[in-house]
Amino acid sequence: MKVIAIANHKGGVGKTTTAVNLAASLAEKGNEVLVIDFDPQGNATSHLGFSPNDFETTINDVLIDPSNRVDINSVIIEHSTPGLFLIPANLSMSRADLSMSALIEKDHRLRKSIKRLRKNFDFVLIDCPPSLATLSVNAFFAADDVIIVVQTQPMALDAIRMIDETLFEVYSSRPDFPIVPYGLPTMHDKLTTVSSTVLEAINRKFHPNVFSPIHSNVKIREASGYGKHIVEYDPLCAGAMDYRRLAKEVMAIYEREKEEGRRYIIRNS
Ligand SMILES: Nc1ncnc2c1ncn2[C@@H]1O[C@H](COP(=O)(O)OP(=O)(O)OP(=O)(O)O)[C@@H](O)[C@H]1O
Ligand SMILES: [Mg+2]
């Protein structure tokens, strides 16, 4: 099982879109995939066609219960797409950072809960909120790898330094298993020079851990509004092709890891 956090504390860059559509594309290729909505906005929950407020128990209850009585397995819901599962979130999570602050090992709550999953998923994708507070730190401690989603827009790389610093703090306390951060350029518009210049900068920054870009695509935007992932909304559109290619690239990393062992790359720049 590979646990991947999808993060950037900059808002609106395509984290949720990536969590949902990468999950659907991995499921399409025969994987069992769990999306953990880890954002009080509940956007991954609604993007997958559910209404966040319909859920009385969410990942929040698992996190903040000091006696660990709320079982993570009890909050998993099944999507109509074969192989696709979700742990929902809603606004009840807004105070999770505060509620967890009094708990022992507050940064490790998610990691420990994931260890209790009974089903052996191939991939667990965590849709992080746009912040670097306790929730994202929990996701980083739980993750094998982190995908940093970067929109190919001016100033996009300015935010990365702070993620680097946070990840480095996480590495420092678990040097036995450092996270490898991967860059994913999103909403790329290849017709504009500025987008191409930023893409080059992202490639330089993350080299060699950078995925092919997800292009700006109107179908991707429409699909989220309709509560559908892109494979069910328009499986042949360019956006669906981009996410399929990403799923292939993600799977290739772990296939290579099985053969050659894990690559340990630590960046702090
Ligand atoms: N490749 C794309 N092409 C066109 N629109 C996109 C694309 N990716 C994302 N969007 C749109 O951009 C908006 C923001 O995307 P998304 O919600 O995934 O960002 P986010 O990083 O999760 O935001 P937040 O920080 O609020 O959680 C959404 O309306 C989404 O539909
Ligand atoms: Mg989001």
Side-chain angles (χ1 to χ4, degrees):
M1 185 168 87
K2 281 290 163 191
V3 182
I4 305 174
I6 298 176
N8 190 341
H9 59 291
K10 200 166 157 55
V13 294
K15 296 181 286 293
T16 302
T17 306
T18 295
V20 164
N21 293 324
L22 172 59
S25 306
L26 287 167
E28 187 189 40
K29 291 181 190 299
N31 295 287
E32 301 270 327
V33 190
L34 173 65
V35 175
I36 301 183
D37 190 344
F38 217 50
D39 182 350
Q41 297 181 100
N43 290 345
T45 303
S46 39
H47 198 328
L48 283 170
F50 300 97
S51 176
N53 293 330
D54 285 352
F55 298 101
E56 275 176 26
T57 40
T58 67
I59 188 66
N60 183 55
D61 301 273
V62 179
L63 289 176
I64 65 168
D65 174 17
S67 52
N68 299 320
R69 269 175 315 206
V70 184
D71 179 3
I72 188 167
N73 296 288
S74 72
V75 293
I76 299 175
I77 53 174
E78 205 169 339
H79 193 267
S80 54
T81 300
L84 185 56
F85 299 81
L86 168 74
I87 294 184
N90 57 32
L91 279 175
S92 68
M93 203 179 190
S94 313
R95 284 164 51 86
D97 276 336
L98 202 63
S99 309
M100 282 194 291
S101 63
L103 299 180
I104 302 163
E105 296 204 295
K106 66 178 169 66
D107 293 335
H108 297 264
R109 303 284 301 171
L110 182 64
R111 184 175 65 82
K112 290 188 169 171
S113 301
I114 285 179
K115 279 195 173 157
R116 293 190 205 106
L117 283 171
R118 278 194 296 273
K119 192 172 168 62
N120 191 17
F121 293 99
D122 297 297
F123 292 96
V124 175
L125 305 185
I126 309 167
D127 180 28
C128 292
S131 96
L132 288 174
T134 310
L135 284 176
S136 287
V137 172
N138 261 265
F140 295 156
F141 270 111
D144 295 306
D145 294 313
V146 176
I147 296 180
I148 300 176
V149 175
V150 192
Q151 196 177 350
T152 57
Q153 287 295 312
M155 319 290 283
L157 281 166
D158 292 357
I160 303 300
R161 176 170 288 277
M162 286 166 79
I163 304 179
D164 270 347
E165 283 169 11
T166 311
L167 286 177
F168 195 75
E169 282 166 28
V170 175
Y171 302 146
S172 310
S173 60
R174 57 169 227 194
D176 51 321
F177 200 80
I179 300 174
V180 181
Y182 288 87
L184 173 67
T186 53
M187 291 188 241
H188 181 51
D189 177 359
K190 55 186 170 195
L191 296 179
T192 66
T193 329
V194 65
S195 214
S196 300
T197 309
V198 178
L199 180 64
E200 278 169 28
I202 296 170
N203 284 336
R204 272 197 308 276
K205 170 83 185 164
F206 288 95
H207 179 81
N209 296 327
V210 58
F211 294 111
S212 304
I214 304 294
H215 295 89
S216 196
N217 180 265
V218 70
K219 296 284 182 184
I220 290 181
R221 189 175 292 272
E222 280 174 16
S224 70
Y226 284 107
K228 290 186 185 301
H229 58 69
I230 197 66
V231 180
E232 59 186 345
Y233 184 68
D234 190 342
L236 297 178
C237 74
M241 298 302 177
D242 275 356
Y243 275 106
R244 275 197 196 100
R245 185 184 52 208
L246 176 64
K248 228 167 121 182
E249 291 177 358
V250 167
M251 287 169 70
I253 291 169
Y254 298 115
E255 271 148 33
R256 202 168 59 224
E257 229 178 72
K258 269 187 225 152
E259 284 163 20
E260 299 171 13
R262 187 174 167 83
R263 287 175 311 143
Y264 290 89
I265 298 173
I266 301 183
R267 267 183 326 116
N268 185 26
S269 55

